[in-house]
Amino acid sequence: MGLSEEQKEFQKVAFNFAAREMAPHMAEWDQKELFPVDTMRKAAQLGFGGVYVQTDVGGAGLSRLDTSVIFEALATGCTSTTAYMSIHNMCVWIIDRFGSEEQRHRLCPPLCAMEKFASYCLTEPGSGSDAASLMTSAVRQHDHYILNGSKAFISGGGEADIYVVMCRTGGPGPRGISCVVVEKGTPGLSFGKKEKKVGWNSQPTRAVIFEDCAVPVANRIGDEGQGFLIAMKGLNGGRINVASCSLGAAHASIVLARDYLKVRKQFGEPLANSQYLQFQLAEMAARLVASRLMIRTAATALQEEREDAIVLCSMAKLFATDECFAICNQALQMHGGYGYLKDYAVQQYVRDSRVHQILEGSNEVMRMLISRSLLQE
C-alpha cells in the first residue's frame, strides 16, 4: 500500500529472491549454523549489498523507505540472514556518508558487491546500552592508532573483512569516541569463540579483540571525537532496518498460520472455521500493518532529515519489534505442538525475531529516548 510502481518492483524482486534463494535453505542455515556467503553475493548483484549507498561507489542509491520495503521482503525468506545484511548495509553507509573520497572509493565497492563483508563494533562486555562509556582505547603513535580492548556480540565477527570500530581516542564520555576501520588480518586483531545463540544462527557472533592492534590514522572515519555521533546516526537507520526484518518475520508467520488453519482439522472441522482464531488472525494482520506504517513513516522522516526522525525511529523500532515478535509467537501457538517442532518454519521466525527487541538499542532504551523527547517539549 502506498508504494510507487518502482518500489513495487523492488519489492517483487526481493520477494522472489527470498522465495527462491533463501527460504528453501533457511532451516539448514539455522541448524548447521552456515553463513550463506554465496547467497548474499547473489543478493548483492541485485543491489542489496549497498541499498542506500551512493551509486558512484557501487551502491543502489535508494531511499530509506525503499530499503525498508526490500528488507521486509527478504526477511520472509530468512530473517537471520537479512538482519546481517542490514548491519552490513549500515556499515557501508557509515563509510559512504562520513568517509573521505579515498576511503569511499577504496572500501565501498567491494562491500557493495559483498566481495567483502562488514561488521559494526560498538558494544563491549561492560557497555551495552550505555554505549558512551565504552573502554576500547586508541592511542595515537605517529601515523597509527594502537587499539586495546574488546567488543562483544559482533555479528559477522571472525568472518567479516571490515570492522567499523568505535574506540576511545580522547577523554571520557561521547566526545572522546572516534570511528576507525580495522581490516581483517591486521596484527593484534583476534576473535573469541563462536557464540551459541537461540536464533540468528546463519550469522556468526563473536567477540572482537584488540591487543596492541596498529591501525593507520588514514583509516579513521570522520574527525577525532565524531565517533559517537557516527555510531548513533548509523543506528537510527539500523533501527528501521532491524524493525523491517521483524516485519518480514511477522508477515511470513501470518501466512504460515493462515495456511495451517485451513488444513488442520479438530473437532471435525478446519481450525479456520473457529471465529476465535479468525479474530486472532485479523488482529495479527492489523498489528502487522500498523507496525509497517510506523516504520515507513520513520523511514521517510529519516530520509528527509526531519527533526522528529530520531524519536520516530525509536518509536517504530519499539512498537514494531514488540508487536511483530508477538505476532510470530501467536502464529506458533496456532500451530499447537507442531509449531514447536523444527520441521515447521514458524518456530524459526520466533527465535530469529526475538533478539530484535534487544539489539540496535534495547527496547528499554527506546522507551527512555522517547520519554526524554516528550519531557523536553
Side-chain angles (χ1 to χ4, degrees):
M1 296 180 294
L3 299 181
S4 68
E5 290 305 313
E6 187 178 34
Q7 288 166 334
K8 289 177 185 176
E9 189 60 34
F10 297 147
Q11 185 183 53
K12 181 180 177 181
V13 169
F15 269 130
N16 288 341
F17 185 86
R20 294 173 184 172
E21 302 290 343
M22 300 174 80
H25 310 290
M26 181 179 85
E28 181 185 14
W29 295 341
D30 173 68
Q31 292 171 27
K32 295 182 180 179
E33 299 186 3
L34 300 176
F35 191 47
V37 168
D38 291 340
T39 300
M40 289 190 287
R41 286 177 175 155
K42 287 182 182 178
Q45 292 174 9
L46 300 173
F48 300 155
V51 181
Y52 51 107
V53 174
Q54 296 176 78
T55 56
D56 67 321
V57 290
L62 299 181
S63 72
R64 299 288 188 161
L65 176 56
D66 301 334
T67 303
S68 175
V69 170
I70 288 167
F71 285 152
E72 177 185 350
L74 290 176
T76 62
C78 182
T79 304
S80 167
T81 302
T82 305
Y84 171 75
M85 291 174 63
S86 82
I87 295 167
H88 171 92
N89 269 263
M90 179 175 67
C91 292
V92 189
W93 176 81
I94 285 173
I95 297 169
D96 180 41
R97 172 67 177 80
F98 296 100
S100 66
E101 285 302 302
E102 185 278 329
Q103 290 167 336
R104 291 179 65 248
H105 287 276
R106 172 168 59 91
L107 296 170
C108 290
L111 290 171
C112 288
M114 284 190 147
E115 295 167 6
K116 292 185 176 181
F117 295 93
S119 288
Y120 179 78
C121 300
L122 175 64
T123 299
E124 296 184 359
S127 64
S129 297
D130 184 16
S133 68
L134 67 82
M135 298 296 291
T136 296
S137 63
V139 178
R140 184 162 181 169
Q141 290 186 5
H142 307 297
D143 58 352
H144 282 74
Y145 290 111
I146 309 301
L147 271 63
N148 282 284
S150 64
K151 299 292 181 179
F153 309 126
I154 304 305
S155 295
E159 300 295 331
D161 307 281
I162 299 293
Y163 296 86
V164 178
V165 181
M166 306 305 157
C167 51
R168 191 163 298 283
T169 53
R175 294 183 180 179
I177 296 171
S178 298
C179 176
V180 300
V181 164
V182 182
E183 299 178 57
K184 190 175 184 181
T186 302
L189 172 66
S190 63
F191 307 97
K193 66 178 178 63
K194 185 178 177 182
E195 304 289 0
K196 303 294 288 184
K197 308 190 297 294
V198 171
W200 272 28
N201 289 317
S202 69
Q203 49 170 294
T205 301
R206 293 183 175 92
V208 177
I209 303 162
F210 308 98
E211 297 174 294
D212 292 329
C213 181
V215 179
V217 171
N219 278 19
R220 187 185 69 226
I221 305 296
D223 297 328
E224 273 201 7
Q226 197 180 6
F228 191 76
L229 173 68
I230 291 171
M232 294 303 105
K233 284 188 176 290
L235 284 176
N236 288 333
R239 287 164 185 156
I240 294 297
N241 294 345
V242 79
S244 300
C245 293
S246 287
L247 289 178
H251 182 146
S253 295
I254 288 174
V255 171
L256 290 172
R258 178 200 64 191
D259 293 347
Y260 184 80
L261 294 181
K262 288 180 178 180
V263 299
R264 174 67 168 166
K265 290 185 177 180
Q266 288 290 278
F267 308 107
E269 61 179 350
L271 290 178
N273 289 354
S274 164
Q275 190 176 60
Y276 174 74
L277 293 175
Q278 291 172 8
F279 284 3
Q280 281 198 322
L281 196 66
E283 288 181 3
M284 291 158 67
R287 285 149 60 194
L288 172 65
V289 172
S291 298
R292 181 183 290 136
L293 292 173
M294 281 195 76
I295 290 170
R296 292 183 179 178
T297 297
T300 301
L302 189 62
Q303 182 70 32
E304 295 173 353
E305 299 183 346
R306 282 169 28 195
E307 192 174 337
D308 60 354
I310 294 174
V311 72
L312 287 175
C313 289
S314 300
M315 287 178 173
K317 196 268 183 184
L318 166 65
F319 184 84
T321 58
D322 279 354
E323 289 296 321
C324 289
F325 175 75
I327 290 167
C328 295
N329 199 39
Q330 184 59 49
L332 187 154
Q333 186 73 16
M334 287 176 163
H335 281 71
Y338 291 106
Y340 205 63
L341 302 180
K342 288 195 173 180
D343 293 332
Y344 288 74
V346 68
Q347 51 74 35
Q348 189 170 338
Y349 290 115
V350 172
R351 290 187 291 108
D352 283 343
S353 64
R354 177 60 182 88
V355 74
H356 299 180
Q357 296 167 287
I358 299 171
L359 46 73
E360 308 290 47
S362 72
N363 284 5
E364 289 72 25
V365 171
M366 297 303 98
R367 290 179 174 91
M368 181 181 70
L369 292 173
I370 295 163
S371 64
R372 281 182 180 175
S373 176
L374 291 170
L375 292 170
Q376 287 172 0
E377 288 292 332

